[in-house]
């Protein structure tokens, strides 16, 4: 064989290897507290098996109590036709603080605009915290992404019990926090961080690779009449569910903030994992305030680097709203 043929063969093998790596789905655990926007996020993720290999869904108390967040996660799984994905229930309260919920936003059942029922398939046996410990302990180094759509209690408890599980984590992508935008539960704090800032501190201190999608970006990725019509035009059961959920859910934020549309906070995390090119941010140093007082639960992001501290978070600040809704529409079309 000539040198030219050998070189051509090497280039071809390299290209095939690169294609194979690009095509490999991301191993993913979704930790969540459904919640309306969580359900949209779960449907988006479960409609994307080529990119996301969902190992499990783990639930936590947050938007509503644990028994309801766990039921709503199983409902999303049923609606997506993905009952092979196990759902593990986790922490029923925050690590330190008194529990709080967001039924005023998400309704008493955690979902408004749709009928809820008891799903056919039950929870997986065992606890979400132990599942995280067991799975991340035996994972290949830096191989599993954890999408955190609610309070970070489950992962924090797992890290406290077995800090070395951090080695199995590729990245933790959080919907939470606020800097430029201001909070949505207090003037300073976003709900997920306010619900358990001590857990967020544990995850931050672990040294894991962290990406935050805060209110700074989710309040820019808003619904509109045209975008809701775009989702409705998909015209299947999944799209009808999403439109009904969003029509009920977005009213609170639109009325509260005077915005022209409503955010779909948690679904932005899944969109980021699927199409990171839709988003922009920068590496910053971030701290979480867990002191009692008016800044409890605040995330302080050193956007301009004035503290000269090492960056510990990729802080996402911009998002392509229409690109997000194009992606959501296309993926919902894959479901029934």
């Amino acid at each position: 064989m000539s040198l030219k043929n050998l070189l051509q063969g090497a280039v071809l093998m390299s290209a095939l290897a690169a294609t194979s790596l690009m095509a490999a789905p991301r191993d993913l655990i979704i930790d969540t507290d459904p919640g309306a926007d969580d359900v949209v996020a779960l449907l988006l993720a479960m409609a994307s098996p080529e990119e996301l290999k969902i190992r499990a869904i783990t639930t936590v108390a947050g938007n509503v109590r644990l028994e309801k967040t766990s039921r709503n996660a199983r409902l999303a799984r049923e609606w997506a036709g993905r009952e092979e994905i196990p759902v593990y229930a986790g922490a029923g309260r925050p690590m330190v603080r008194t529990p709080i919920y967001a039924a005023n936003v998400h309704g008493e059942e955690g979902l408004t605009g749709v009928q809820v029922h008891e799903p056919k398939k039950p929870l997986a046996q065992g606890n979400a915290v132990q599942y995280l410990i067991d799975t991340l302990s035996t994972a290949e180094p830096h191989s599993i992404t954890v999408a955190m759509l609610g309070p970070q209690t489950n992962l924090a408890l797992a890290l406290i019990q077995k800090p070395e599980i951090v080695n199995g984590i590729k990245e933790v992508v959080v919907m939470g926090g606020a800097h430029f935008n201001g909070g949505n539960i207090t003037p300073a704090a976003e709900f997920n961080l306010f619900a358990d800032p001590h857990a967020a501190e544990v995850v931050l201190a672990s040294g894991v690779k962290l990406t935050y999608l805060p209110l700074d970006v989710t309040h820019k990725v808003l619904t509109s009449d045209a975008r809701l019509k775009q989702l409705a035009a998909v015209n299947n059961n999944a799209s009808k569910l999403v439109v009904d959920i969003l029509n009920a859910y977005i009213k609170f934020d639109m009325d509260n903030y005077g915005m022209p549309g409503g955010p779909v906070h948690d679904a932005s995390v899944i969109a980021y994992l699927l199409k990171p090119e839709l988003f922009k941010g920068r590496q910053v140093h971030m701290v979480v305030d867990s002191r009692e007082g008016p800044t409890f639960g605040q995330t302080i992001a050193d956007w301009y680097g004035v503290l000269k501290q090492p960056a510990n978070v990729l802080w996402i600040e911009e998002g392509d709203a229409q690109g997000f809704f194009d992606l959501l529409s296309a993926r919902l079309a894959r479901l029934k």
Side-chain angles (χ1 to χ4, degrees), residues 86-140:
V87 177
Y88 292 88
R93 56 160 297 132
M95 288 175 57
V96 176
R97 66 152 300 148
T98 304
I100 62 160
Y101 307 104
N104 62 316
V105 180
H106 294 267
E108 290 299 323
E109 298 301 325
L111 282 173
T112 54
V114 293
Q115 289 292 318
V116 299
H117 62 268
E118 182 62 24
K120 293 176 184 177
K121 188 163 182 181
L123 287 164
Q125 292 295 311
N127 180 272
V129 176
Q130 191 60 51
Y131 170 80
L132 288 168
I133 292 170
D134 294 343
T135 303
L136 296 172
S137 294
T138 56
E140 293 292 322

Side-chain angles (χ1 to χ4, degrees), residues 85 93 165 192 248 294:
I85 300 170
R93 56 160 297 132
I165 65 172
N192 287 341

